[in-house]
Amino acid sequence: MDFISILSIFVLACFVGYYVVWSVTPALHTPLMAVTNAISSVIIVGALIAAAAGSQADGGQTAKWLGLVGVVLASVNIFGGFAVTERMLAMYKKKERK
Amino acid sequence: MRRDQSAVAVIPANAGISSNIAPSVRQIPAFAGMTKVLMAVLMFCFATPAMAASGEAVNPWVAVAYLVSGVLFILALRGLSSPESSRRGNRFGMIGMLIAVITTLVTHDIASLPEIGVAIAIGGAIGFVIARRIPMTDMPQLVAAFHSLVGMAAVLVGIAAYLNPGAFDIVDAAGEILVVSRVELGLGVAIGAITFSGSVIAFLKLNGNMSGAPIMLPGRHVINLGVLAGIIGLTAYFAVLPTVETAMVFWTIVALAFVIGFLLIIPIGGADMPVVVSMLNSYSGWAAAAMGFTLGNTAMIITGALVGSSGAILSYIMCKAMNRSFISVIAGGFGADSGPSEGAEKIDRPWKRGSAEDAAYMMKQAESVIIVPGYGMAVAQAQHALREMGDMLKEEGVSVKYAIHPVAGRMPGHMNVLLAEANVPYDEVFELEDINSEFAQADVAFVIGANDVVNPAAKTDKGSPIYGMPVFDVDKAKTIFFIKRSMGGVGYAGVDNEVFYMDQTMMLLSDAKKMCEDIVKSL
């Protein structure tokens, strides 16, 4: 993809983020941070590419191991982030009707 | 208008299922939806085997898959607009992540699938166990720790892309890394490294391994600006150099970025941590976005932009709630000088001490009680005892509400989570602007572990460091109970609080949890 189309996606996504985040209720700001944490671990995609490439080029072997470590770190974040968000959200309850 | 419609659409969906049905039943539609989406994704991935051979970017379906996962991440955040839709949103996020990972694995020649499987299993197990075990009071530390992992992952990916650019498709015909990609790489690793070292310091401060007091280096502004300028200059230099000579420049950028992350956070005091944690949240997003640029990956770019703006907005909300500019928070040093001049003035003023029995008696007689929790409640783990007290008061027919200041606690929404953990229904919990007018009609304002957020000096005293900060008008309530460990300490801003000495105030000097338990006993 050329730089300009990537940049367009980025700028539009910033606006989407702006409006979506303002509509998040303040009571859920902690889960918001936990879930943004989890989704920013989509960086695992880069780590997977590095790990998958193996040692075709010079430095490929090092890159592979760095990628694998990246996969571990991002996985901690993905599983931990989504699980802790789920745990928090499960606690938010409405008043019981009597 | 559109917001109203979506809210209406969401409520009946859940309201239709009465609350006594087991939660597992309620989840079934979501799971059915998840499997359907998954199947569809897997089918079109496998139906086009050509892509595995021809590599990424050429197959439009791959781009579509990443786009879908980006959109699912948007929906994940959108779900958080209300607690009813939030859990569905979280599942959208999980599906989005699954799609991104599967798409990546399916569309690349994988030389090391077992290793990758093991890496995911190790990381996943660690993350899952931590997420299950972590006490809710430790959430700020956990989030800081998770930020550091994102930062480190970004650095590792950046280094891997630098070492093996061919795998990332960022080389030109001559095998040199493209200039645009070099700028993106340089920025990506720099932001990632800042996120990492900054978050580690934030974690140590929040976890109490390091004093929350600001550490002030002489000339730190000059040092910080110099290092920042150095990083930017080196990134530009890195972009124009021929590839063979870049190694030193690249590693210097990485090293400087680690250092600046550390330098930026050490002068910031514990009380400003809500801003710092949000800011690092934002950085982790920008790091992911920078890597997304390098890879031309829409899922990463969309996510990075979402997370980046989310953290930025949260920092803005926190700064506004403290009436401080973002720059002054980042410059640091707040709460360092707990002014001896103020210490001299606050001696010898009469104040009234109350007991648990007094508080229990007064609140039982009251019609309405507003509880103002603060960080002290989290430290004392008093949320369960507090909820018990609230429940008993409600049985007596007292109206009980909770008032939460945006900066209460150590991260945005910290108090809300703790109250939710203690089973306080979220419709009894109110934000500052929604409840502030009610203090004038309230019989009792019950302040537990908060201080600066109820200090009227913010409204009246122009010389006060917290002047202009929006605060709760607890001084308008008929009676104020103020739980505090001792009269000695003042809030983190180091400002004396007029409320202590008011006629209608009774100080309850004790540990917050113990005091709540004593009140419960007396009720």
Side-chain angles (χ1 to χ4, degrees), chain A residues 1 6 9 23 28 30 36-39 45 51-53 58 64 66 76-77 80 82 86-87 91-95, chain B residues 80-81 84 90-91 111-112 115 123 131-132 134 146-147 150 163 281 298 301 303 412-414 423 425-427:
Chain A
M1 241 188 295
I6 296 180
I9 295 173
S23 75
L28 292 175
T30 298
T36 49
N37 220 317
I39 64 173
V45 168
D58 323 328
K64 176 187 150 185
L66 291 176
V76 172
N77 229 331
F82 281 124
E86 190 70 22
R87 198 179 135 205
M91 298 187 311
Y92 282 82
K93 292 187 192 79
K94 254 195 139 104
K95 217 181 291 183
Chain B
L80 291 172
S81 56
E84 282 103 4
N90 197 33
R91 298 217 174 83
S112 48
E115 285 105 316
R132 289 281 136 190
I134 189 93
F146 278 173
H147 286 155
V150 179
L163 293 176
N281 184 242
T298 38
I301 294 170
T303 315
H414 192 190
N423 275 322
Y426 60 81
D427 36 8

Side-chain angles (χ1 to χ4, degrees), chain B residues 143-386:
Chain B
V143 168
F146 278 173
H147 286 155
S148 73
L149 296 183
V150 179
M152 198 60 201
V155 174
L156 293 175
V157 173
I159 296 176
Y162 174 70
L163 293 176
N164 189 5
F168 288 79
D169 261 353
I170 49 171
V171 285
D172 59 16
E176 305 248 310
I177 306 178
L178 300 169
V179 173
V180 179
S181 300
R182 285 196 231 173
V183 176
E184 293 157 359
L185 264 185
L187 289 178
V189 289
I191 302 172
I194 294 174
T195 311
F196 173 76
S197 54
S199 299
V200 167
I201 301 297
F203 169 82
L204 292 175
K205 286 196 173 196
L206 288 165
N207 206 31
N209 305 94
M210 193 175 153
S211 154
I215 299 166
M216 317 284 264
L217 296 177
R220 63 205 150 82
H221 296 313
V222 180
I223 301 176
N224 290 351
L225 289 176
V227 177
L228 274 183
I231 291 174
I232 294 168
L234 283 175
T235 307
Y237 188 50
F238 173 62
V240 295
L241 269 185
T243 303
V244 278
E245 294 166 30
T246 52
M248 266 317 286
V249 181
F250 182 77
W251 296 114
T252 316
I253 294 174
V254 176
L256 280 182
F258 277 119
V259 172
I260 187 82
F262 174 78
L263 289 175
L264 275 176
I265 308 302
I266 52 165
I268 302 181
D272 280 337
M273 279 304 148
V275 182
V276 170
V277 174
S278 318
M279 184 185 83
L280 293 167
N281 184 242
S282 181
Y283 287 178
S284 67
W286 303 130
M291 287 301 148
F293 270 91
T294 310
L295 298 177
N297 183 308
T298 38
M300 280 165 93
I301 294 170
I302 294 175
T303 315
L306 286 178
V307 178
S309 23
S310 160
I313 289 172
L314 290 177
S315 316
Y316 169 79
I317 294 174
M318 296 299 112
C319 286
K320 211 171 132 234
M322 296 194 288
N323 190 36
R324 303 186 53 212
S325 74
F326 187 69
I327 300 293
S328 75
V329 172
I330 296 310
F334 194 61
D337 42 337
S338 39
S341 57
E342 275 157 338
E345 148 198 15
K346 75 166 195 267
I347 317 166
D348 285 347
R349 291 178 65 186
W351 50 276
K352 275 184 286 189
R353 179 170 190 156
S355 67
E357 291 77 32
D358 300 335
Y361 177 78
M362 296 283 286
M363 285 198 282
K364 220 191 291 190
Q365 305 299 318
E367 254 174 55
S368 65
V369 173
I370 300 179
I371 298 170
V372 184
Y375 184 56
M377 180 190 83
V379 175
Q381 302 264 9
Q383 64 270 29
H384 298 279
L386 182 69

Side-chain angles (χ1 to χ4, degrees), chain B residues 64-112:
Chain B
V64 171
Y66 284 128
L67 184 62
V68 167
S69 85
V71 170
L72 285 169
F73 291 147
I74 296 175
L75 292 176
L77 299 197
R78 186 70 184 91
L80 291 172
S81 56
S82 98
E84 282 103 4
S85 57
S86 58
R87 299 184 72 183
R88 191 159 22 129
N90 197 33
R91 298 217 174 83
F92 281 137
M94 295 181 201
I95 301 166
M97 189 60 74
L98 203 60
I99 293 176
V101 169
I102 290 177
T103 310
T104 312
L105 289 178
V106 170
T107 54
H108 287 82
D109 299 317
I110 298 173
S112 48

Side-chain angles (χ1 to χ4, degrees), chain A residues 7-20:
Chain A
L7 189 68
S8 320
I9 295 173
F10 176 70
V11 172
L12 291 176
C14 284
F15 278 93
V16 171
Y18 179 85
Y19 289 106
V20 168

